[in-house]
């Protein structure tokens, strides 16, 4: 409640008081306003119609620079803070923001391209089916129906149907309506949704006429009910150069009741001659199971086709390669954070947009709170004058710096280690050199991963392999074992795949081919391939079907020996020919060659990786995996940890919960007192008893207050407010069994 002293009632329109529920208007006795009052009065605003199209409005205020100040305000608010306890220069903070503003839009554009291309085939097929169904005379009056097999990941439906809305609106000039089971519980609500969304869309020509949104009127001015399809028919008939086609998409079709779907489809079929309805069904199981839920008469009214979409796991892998592992990613996410992101996507079946938001939030956290992220700027922007003594001191406190110095000492590079600790100029030089070393590491990592995945020897996802490589380096043991067990005909094919990978690179990772810089590797691979092919020809000329190596399964034979009338079985190595021995040496040479070229150390073993890698999980968990219930319970049981006041943080009974205990105190907030009383009750809470217990603690006669308790009227106001806050937080609700009781919703475990 606010008390206002003014003689102008129009001032109540101020936005600062919009949230107030009650005002006390106390006009000033004098009509004239003082200079101070005139100065504090907010600037009068007026609505001005803009020229940017119908419905666009802007607010004009007094003062010639109002628009410039409104434009500059978000820029000032969005500026990054000066870190190092305010000692960071404004130029360094601005450069961090500039790097973020430059890095993320590039990445965001690549992600959008991946998302657009993920469902491109499905969008083209559905658009072609809907467009061709209009001129298909064989379907008669049946409704064109597209059955889109989305799979169990319901979270991916939103992106697909959003793309369908854009694609079909352009391809067929139809009006697109999206229905979900939660927003259409019955026939009337579904019809309202269809009519409202179909009539509210702007026409394809984009004439911007506001009359297009008038749902209840036709050409003759007749009014229609908002769930009457006659109104939609009149609206479509009143449009000029507009299609009469309406596409209704049931996003979660299996969540709709069968009777509701039957009634809707029957109604659409009856209007098919006047309104050209088409329907799309998002199906998580199969078309057969969905058809079994419909009546045979309803199924005969549909003219359908089935479409398969790209599964969410494949879309996630493509986004991962482009946004996280690709060469355009300025910031590298650490293995711990990536592992948590991937586990959440798979366990909670979160949508791809949540994953993208997590990536952007990691970028924001790194550039906003890490002063060393300025080292990611280009060489022109990052000058020696921009690096302050605080930056150099911060580098010397990093774990990677300490590890690097210790490794230098162990390697007897004492001058290098001493210069890093004592010489600032030498350290800055090393920091600049780490930029190129970082690029070399990332290039080696991506090339090694590309070669490893191109061999197709070990089943697994690229995401898991990438996280494992960042965490502990590349482990080639499973791959080497698989190579040694390959036959002579399979090894040349493997080498051809490696040569092709080196030549073409990886478009998904934006990794170009490196055939010119890997001339020694390609030459050695070609020689090994030619040698094995020659050995195969020699063996076949001698009548040998296949080459064997010393560890291949075919080289083991079973021997039977009879000793003292007892049969003994033993394994023995088959005799190897000269070609077999040469083949084994070629395999060993191939393994040694791949071991020398496919490698990557762990990311935390690199010097100064804290500047270009982000692996903090605490902000991510607080934002994307929040636990508000736990926070509420702790705040209500131990408010002293949040308020920090003496009355709640002191010792004794009024301590508000010391050492994890919960105690009642009259000095605690009312909501906290009611919550602790609430914990001691059963499933139903008598409000009168709760009031009596509360007033006995905070009232004037209470011993805890020392005669300074609350009056009955003030205590009653606080009691009702605290009870309302408990209800808002979801702890209590109105009981249907007893009018004077509230029902307990949550129990503290």
């Amino acid at each position: 409640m606010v008390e206002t002293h003014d003689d102008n009632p129009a001032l109540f329109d101020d936005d600062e008081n919009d949230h107030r529920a009650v005002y006390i208007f106390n006009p000033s006795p004098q009509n004239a306003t003082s200079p101070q009052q005139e100065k504090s009065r907010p600037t009068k605003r007026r609505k001005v119609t803009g020229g940017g199209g119908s419905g666009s409005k802007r607010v004009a205020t007094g003062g010639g620079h109002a628009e410039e100040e409104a434009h500059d305000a978000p820029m000032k608010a969005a500026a990054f803070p000066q870190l190092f306890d305010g000692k960071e220069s404004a130029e360094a903070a601005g450069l961090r923001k500039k790097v973020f503003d430059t890095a993320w839009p590039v990445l965001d554009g690549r992600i959008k391209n991946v998302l657009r291309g993920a469902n491109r085939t499905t969008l083209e097929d559905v658009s072609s089916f809907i467009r061709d169904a209009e001129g298909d005379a064989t379907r008669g009056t049946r409704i064109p129906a597209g059955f889109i097999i989305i799979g169990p990941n319901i979270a991916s439906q939103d992106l697909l149907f959003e793309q369908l809305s854009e694609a079909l609106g352009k391809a067929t000039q139809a009006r697109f309506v999206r229905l979900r089971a939660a927003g259409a519980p019955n026939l009337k609500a579904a019809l309202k949704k269809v009519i409202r969304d179909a009539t509210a869309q702007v026409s394809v020509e984009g004439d911007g006429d506001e009359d297009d949104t008038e749902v209840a009127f036709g050409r003759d001015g007749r009014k229609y009910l908002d769930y009457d399809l006659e109104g939609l028919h009149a609206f479509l008939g009143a449009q000029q150069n507009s299609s009469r086609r309406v596409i209704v998409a049931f996003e979660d079709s299996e969540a709709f009741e069968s009777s509701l779907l039957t009634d809707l489809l029957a109604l659409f079929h009856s209007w098919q001659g006047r309104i050209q309805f088409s329907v799309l069904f998002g199906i998580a199981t199969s078309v057969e199971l969905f058809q079994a839920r419909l009546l045979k008469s309803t199924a005969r009214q549909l003219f359908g086709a089935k479409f398969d979409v790209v599964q969410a796991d494949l879309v996630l892998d493509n986004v991962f390669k482009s946004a996280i592992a690709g060469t355009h990613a300025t910031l590298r996410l650490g293995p711990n954070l990536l592992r948590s992101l991937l586990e959440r996507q798979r366990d909670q079946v979160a949508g791809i947009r949540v994953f993208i938001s997590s990536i952007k939030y990691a970028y924001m956290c790194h550039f906003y709170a890490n002063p060393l992220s300025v080292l990611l700027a280009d060489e022109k922007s990052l000058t020696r004058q921009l690096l302050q003594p605080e930056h150099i001191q911060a580098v010397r406190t990093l774990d990677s710096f300490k590890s690097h110095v210790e490794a230098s000492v162990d390697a007897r590079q004492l001058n290098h280690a001493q210069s890093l600790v004592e010489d600032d100029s030498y350290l800055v030089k090393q920091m600049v050199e780490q930029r190129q070393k970082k690029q070399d590491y990332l290039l080696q990592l991506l090339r090694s991963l590309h070669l490893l995945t191109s061999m197709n020897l070990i089943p697994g996802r690229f995401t898991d392999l990438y996280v494992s490589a960042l965490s502990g380096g590349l482990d080639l043991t499973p791959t080497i074992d698989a190579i040694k067990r390959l036959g002579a005909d399979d090894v040349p094919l493997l080498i051809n795949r490696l040569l092709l990978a080196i030549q073409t690179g990886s478009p998904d990772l934006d990794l170009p081919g490196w055939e010119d810089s890997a001339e020694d590797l390609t030459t050695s691979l070609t020689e090994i391939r030619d040698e094995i092919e020659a050995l195969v020809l020699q063996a076949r000329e001698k009548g040998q079907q296949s080459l064997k190596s010393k560890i291949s399964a075919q080289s083991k034979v079973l021997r039977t020996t009879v000793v003292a009338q007892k049969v003994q079985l033993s394994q023995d190595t088959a005799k190897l020919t000269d070609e077999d021995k040469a083949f084994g040496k070629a395999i060993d040479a191939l393994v040694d060659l791949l071991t020398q070229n496919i490698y990557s150390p762990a990311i935390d073993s690199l010097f100064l990786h804290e500047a270009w890698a982000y692996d903090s999980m605490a902000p991510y968990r607080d934002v994307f995996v929040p636990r508000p219930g736990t926070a509420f319970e702790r705040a209500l049981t131990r408010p002293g940890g949040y308020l920090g006041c003496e009355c709640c943080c002191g010792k004794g009974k009024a301590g508000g919960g010391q050492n994890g205990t919960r105690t009642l105190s009259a000095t605690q907030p009312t909501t906290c007192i009611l919550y602790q009383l609430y914990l001691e009750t059963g499933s139903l809470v008598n409000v009168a008893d709760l009031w009596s217990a509360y007033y006995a603690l905070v009232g004037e006669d209470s011993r805890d207050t020392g005669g300074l308790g609350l009056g009955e009227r003030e205590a009653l106001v606080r009691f009702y407010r605290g009870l309302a806050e408990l209800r808002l937080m979801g702890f209590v609700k109105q009981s249907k069994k007893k009018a004077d009781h509230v029902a307990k919703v949550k129990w503290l475990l």
Side-chain angles (χ1 to χ4, degrees):
M1 185 170 63
V2 60
E3 183 175 355
T4 305
H5 298 271
D6 208 315
D7 58 348
N8 188 3
L11 295 183
F12 291 132
D13 294 335
D14 192 7
D15 292 340
E16 297 180 357
N17 294 326
D18 284 348
H19 67 282
R20 305 288 185 181
V22 180
Y23 299 92
I24 299 178
F25 179 58
N26 188 5
S28 176
Q30 299 179 357
N31 294 330
T33 58
S34 62
Q36 295 180 353
Q37 292 176 341
E38 188 70 27
K39 184 178 180 180
S40 62
R41 175 178 296 180
T43 306
K44 185 176 181 180
R45 301 181 297 177
R46 60 188 177 89
K47 292 183 178 180
V48 181
T49 303
S54 61
S56 61
K57 297 180 181 179
R58 59 185 176 90
V59 178
T61 59
H65 302 283
E67 294 184 0
E68 296 180 4
E69 293 177 357
H71 177 73
D72 295 338
M75 300 298 294
K76 295 179 180 179
F80 283 1
Q82 297 176 231
L83 303 177
F84 294 131
D85 199 15
K87 296 180 181 179
E88 184 186 21
S89 63
E91 292 79 6
L95 184 57
R96 287 190 289 113
K97 185 178 185 300
K98 179 181 178 181
V99 175
F100 170 75
D101 293 339
T102 305
W104 177 251
V106 175
L107 209 61
D108 189 41
R110 291 183 58 85
I111 294 174
K112 290 180 179 178
N113 291 334
V114 172
L115 296 180
R116 293 192 190 101
N119 298 319
R120 183 174 303 168
T121 304
T122 304
L123 297 179
E124 293 176 355
D125 294 342
V126 174
S127 300
S128 177
F129 168 74
I130 296 295
R131 186 172 53 251
D132 296 342
E134 181 177 0
D136 192 351
T138 59
R139 69 178 181 88
T141 60
R142 290 183 295 175
I143 303 174
F147 301 95
I148 305 175
I149 310 301
I150 299 177
N153 192 353
I154 302 178
S156 63
Q157 293 182 356
D158 184 65
L159 173 63
L160 174 62
F161 282 98
E162 182 178 347
Q163 293 177 328
L164 282 173
S165 176
E166 298 176 359
L168 293 177
K170 296 178 181 179
T172 63
Q173 297 184 355
R175 298 177 181 269
F176 197 90
V177 179
R178 300 170 58 180
L179 287 182
R180 298 188 67 90
N186 50 56
L187 182 61
K188 181 182 290 188
L191 291 175
K192 286 183 179 181
K193 174 70 174 175
V194 170
I195 296 173
R196 181 170 61 249
D197 290 359
T199 55
Q201 297 178 18
V202 181
S203 62
V204 179
E205 289 77 8
D207 53 3
D209 190 3
E210 292 186 358
D211 292 337
D212 287 351
T213 60
E214 296 290 337
V215 181
F217 297 92
R219 292 181 179 177
D220 54 355
R222 178 184 172 186
K223 292 185 178 181
Y224 301 91
L225 295 174
D226 54 357
Y227 54 88
D228 188 0
L229 290 178
E230 182 69 31
L232 177 60
H233 176 255
F235 172 80
L236 295 177
Q239 307 303 308
Q240 295 180 356
N241 300 326
S242 178
S243 173
R244 293 176 178 267
R245 182 183 294 275
V246 177
I247 302 175
V248 181
F250 299 88
E251 297 188 17
D252 49 348
S253 58
E254 288 151 324
F256 284 84
E257 294 184 2
S258 301
S259 58
L260 177 59
L261 283 177
T262 300
D263 295 340
L264 272 176
L265 294 176
L267 194 59
F268 291 164
H269 182 264
S270 64
W271 281 86
Q272 192 65 12
R274 290 164 286 181
I275 304 175
Q276 299 175 4
F277 281 105
S278 300
V279 292
L280 298 176
F281 298 101
I283 300 176
T285 54
S286 65
V287 178
E288 290 75 14
L289 292 176
F290 176 74
Q291 185 178 356
R293 300 177 61 242
L294 301 177
L295 297 177
K296 292 183 178 180
S297 58
T298 304
R300 285 193 292 267
Q301 297 173 351
L302 301 179
F303 173 77
K306 185 177 71 171
F307 306 95
D308 294 324
V309 300
V310 178
Q311 294 301 317
D313 291 341
L314 183 57
V315 177
L316 177 63
D317 290 343
N318 293 335
V319 172
F320 186 94
K321 291 179 180 179
S322 177
I324 295 178
T327 57
H328 281 81
T330 304
L331 177 66
R332 296 288 153 173
L333 302 187
N336 296 324
L337 179 59
L338 284 179
R339 195 174 289 111
S340 299
L341 291 175
L342 295 174
E343 287 177 357
R344 185 199 61 188
Q345 291 297 123
R346 296 164 184 169
D347 296 342
Q348 301 182 9
V349 198
I352 190 64
R353 294 188 182 276
V354 179
F355 184 74
I356 298 171
S357 300
S358 301
I359 300 174
K360 185 176 182 180
Y361 185 74
Y363 267 69
M364 295 171 62
C365 289
H366 182 75
F367 288 102
Y368 185 86
N370 188 353
L372 296 180
S373 61
V374 73
L375 299 177
L376 289 173
D378 53 34
E379 297 179 358
K380 296 181 180 179
S381 302
L382 185 61
T383 60
R384 176 65 181 88
Q385 294 76 16
L386 193 65
L387 294 177
Q388 305 171 225
E390 288 78 11
H391 289 97
I392 299 175
Q393 185 63 27
V395 170
R396 289 195 172 107
T397 61
L398 298 177
D399 294 337
S400 63
F401 176 83
K402 299 176 183 178
S403 301
H404 184 67
V405 172
E406 292 175 358
S408 301
V409 173
D410 295 339
R412 309 305 298 171
Q413 299 176 357
L414 302 181
N415 294 333
H416 174 68
Q418 184 177 4
S419 300
L420 287 176
V421 176
E422 299 177 354
D423 191 350
D424 293 348
S425 300
Y426 185 81
L427 178 59
V428 171
K429 182 180 178 180
Q430 295 296 318
M431 292 164 57
V432 174
E433 291 179 357
Q434 290 304 313
R435 183 194 306 273
Q436 184 60 39
K437 293 183 179 179
K438 165 208 167 187
Q439 297 296 335
D440 295 341
Y441 164 78
L442 295 177
L443 198 59
Q444 175 62 31
L445 171 64
L446 296 181
R447 287 177 177 178
S448 299
L449 289 174
H450 182 49
L451 291 177
L452 204 58
T453 54
S454 63
M455 288 189 283
N456 297 326
L457 295 178
I458 302 176
R461 298 178 178 176
F462 176 85
T463 54
D464 298 333
L465 188 61
Y466 180 84
V467 174
S468 177
L470 292 181
S471 179
L474 284 176
D475 183 14
L476 297 181
T477 303
T479 304
I480 292 174
D481 294 340
I483 292 176
K484 291 182 178 180
R485 297 181 183 278
L486 289 177
D489 295 332
D490 297 329
V491 176
L493 298 177
L494 172 67
I495 295 178
N496 289 334
R497 291 198 296 267
L498 291 174
L499 293 174
L500 181 62
I502 295 174
Q503 181 180 1
T504 60
S506 174
D508 295 336
L509 297 172
D510 198 31
L511 179 67
W514 66 99
E515 187 178 12
D516 296 337
S517 60
E519 185 176 355
D520 295 339
L521 175 60
T522 55
T523 302
S524 300
L525 289 174
T526 304
E527 292 176 354
I528 295 174
R529 180 194 61 187
D530 296 341
E531 180 183 357
I532 294 176
E533 290 178 349
L535 290 173
V536 172
L537 293 177
Q538 294 177 9
R540 289 178 179 175
E541 290 177 357
K542 295 181 180 181
Q544 187 176 351
Q545 296 297 328
S546 62
L547 294 177
K548 297 175 291 187
S549 63
K550 56 185 177 180
I551 65 170
S552 62
Q554 290 80 6
S555 65
K556 301 294 183 180
V557 296
L558 190 63
R559 288 188 178 275
T560 305
T561 306
V562 179
V563 179
Q565 297 181 353
K566 293 182 180 179
V567 179
Q568 294 181 355
L569 300 178
S570 62
Q571 274 192 347
D572 195 3
T573 303
K575 184 178 179 180
L576 300 177
T577 63
D578 294 337
E579 289 78 9
D580 294 336
K581 295 178 181 179
F583 174 67
K585 292 180 180 180
I587 291 294
D588 293 338
L590 176 61
V591 169
D592 294 338
L593 184 63
L594 295 179
T595 305
Q596 295 173 5
N597 290 273
I598 301 178
Y599 64 92
S600 178
I603 193 172
D604 56 2
S605 64
L606 303 177
F607 174 48
L608 210 61
H609 70 272
E610 292 89 348
W612 51 272
Y614 180 78
D615 200 21
S616 179
M617 296 177 59
Y620 154 75
R621 286 176 176 172
D622 293 341
V623 173
F624 293 97
V625 192
R627 297 186 298 169
T630 304
F632 285 160
E633 291 173 357
R634 188 185 185 283
L636 292 174
T637 53
R638 291 179 289 275
Y642 294 85
L643 300 178
C645 53
E646 296 181 358
C647 57
C648 293
C649 294
K651 297 181 180 180
K653 185 177 181 181
Q658 294 293 325
N659 299 325
T661 60
R662 299 190 301 270
T663 59
L664 277 174
S665 172
T667 59
Q668 293 178 353
T670 301
T671 309
C672 299
I673 297 174
L674 294 180
Y675 178 72
Q676 297 184 58
L677 295 174
Y678 157 91
L679 294 177
E680 301 175 1
T681 63
S683 58
L684 292 179
V685 184
N686 190 313
V687 178
D689 295 342
L690 188 63
W691 155 250
S692 300
Y694 168 73
Y695 188 68
L697 182 65
V698 303
E700 297 176 343
D701 299 335
S702 175
R703 297 180 182 179
D704 296 339
T705 59
L708 300 177
L710 302 176
E712 183 177 2
R713 186 174 183 83
E714 183 178 358
L716 187 61
V717 172
R718 295 190 179 186
F719 173 79
Y720 277 121
R721 178 178 180 178
L723 195 62
E725 290 179 351
L726 287 180
R727 183 189 178 197
L728 181 63
M729 289 185 286
F731 288 102
V732 296
K733 66 178 182 179
Q734 183 65 38
S735 175
K736 297 181 180 180
K737 297 181 179 180
K738 298 182 179 180
D740 56 346
H741 285 62
V742 291
K744 190 174 183 179
V745 179
K746 295 183 179 180
W747 282 259
L748 181 62
L749 300 178

